[in-house]
Amino acid sequence: MDWRLYKMIKWKNRADEFFKDKFTSIARKSIFDSIEKFLSNEKSDIRQTFLLDIIFLMDWKSQSDIILYLHDCVYSNLTVGNFVLKFKESAMSSSNQIISKLLENGYIFSDNVLNINNIEQFESLRGRSIDLIIMDDFSGTGTTLWKAIKNVTEYCKIRIKIIIYAWTEKCIDYLSAKCSESAEIESFDIIKSANLIRRYDDKLSRELLDYVESISYKIEDTRNRYGYKNTGTMISLDGLSPNNNLPIIWKSDIKIDDRSWTPLLNRDFKTEVINKFKDIVYNKYKKEFFKTYKENIVKISNFKEFQIMYILYSFKY
């Protein structure tokens, strides 16, 4: 058997076992495609092995595990009258999904959800003292969480519980210092899982460390050669890469011998998986969809109209 073919089969078997409990089959297919492109950055077997080592040394976190932890943790810390802070824009973010579940199950009411962009809502709290919960799936530096917390303290005093699924020591130290210094924070409690995310230089062998740093020194943004604020993490959140990660994992503006680097993960991985899933559903059930629309929804005269209706429907839902 050709050595390259053997090596390809070997890493795919290893990856299939490694990822089987973390992602759906569709997501695994997308990850495997990304791995193949990532490996193509290097031509030599040794350097491709370095890239494979990086993949398997990363902390891969699944959305189901993240949501389960956050939901249970928030629920066990909720008391009557607590406010929950909604500070992220994306409806697909873990924290916003948890808030939706809590609302759906009747654990909180819409009046108890503070939207970071709703100035009118914050004005109504001015001068009060409230109990607040904020949650996040991952925090590398703590700056995003603190920005949201500080925004609230401009209107009222707070007793806050900060719930984080995956975290770094840098994040916890930063949040603890900021909360301790603030006169508007009457008390704070940082509740974290066991998912401490270590820096790359605490995880890699000397040989692999030398390789990573040789690539990192080719990055033009010298202030963030090892990710945002040089956090240097190696984590995937349901296939997504935070900007705290080593740039070789997620950035494409690295030049190697006049070639652009192909990252392992991009910032839109989840969208890619959703679109692939829609394609599969569309191709498998288009006759049934067409029949349903024709009989129950609208009078459709041709298949082109059905396609338009399907796109609109899937875009909405």
Side-chain angles (χ1 to χ4, degrees), residues 272-287:
E272 289 180 8
V273 173
I274 290 171
N275 287 338
K276 285 184 180 181
F277 180 72
K278 283 184 177 180
D279 287 341
I280 291 171
V281 172
Y282 175 77
N283 290 323
K284 187 175 181 180
Y285 297 109
K286 56 188 173 186
K287 289 183 179 178

Side-chain angles (χ1 to χ4, degrees), residues 181-229:
E181 293 167 1
S182 175
E184 286 73 34
I185 297 178
E186 297 176 343
S187 66
F188 71 93
D189 186 11
I190 300 175
I191 304 164
K192 56 190 187 296
S193 73
N195 293 299
L196 165 64
I197 306 302
R198 294 181 293 137
R199 277 176 54 89
Y200 75 100
D201 44 8
D202 286 337
K203 295 166 68 88
L204 307 184
S205 66
R206 182 70 256 174
E207 189 177 32
L208 193 51
L209 196 60
D210 289 342
Y211 170 73
V212 167
E213 294 188 341
S214 71
I215 303 296
S216 298
Y217 272 102
K218 299 179 187 297
I219 297 169
E220 293 181 5
D221 183 4
T222 56
R223 293 178 304 169
N224 298 291
R225 275 185 170 149
Y226 303 101
Y228 177 64
K229 293 198 172 182

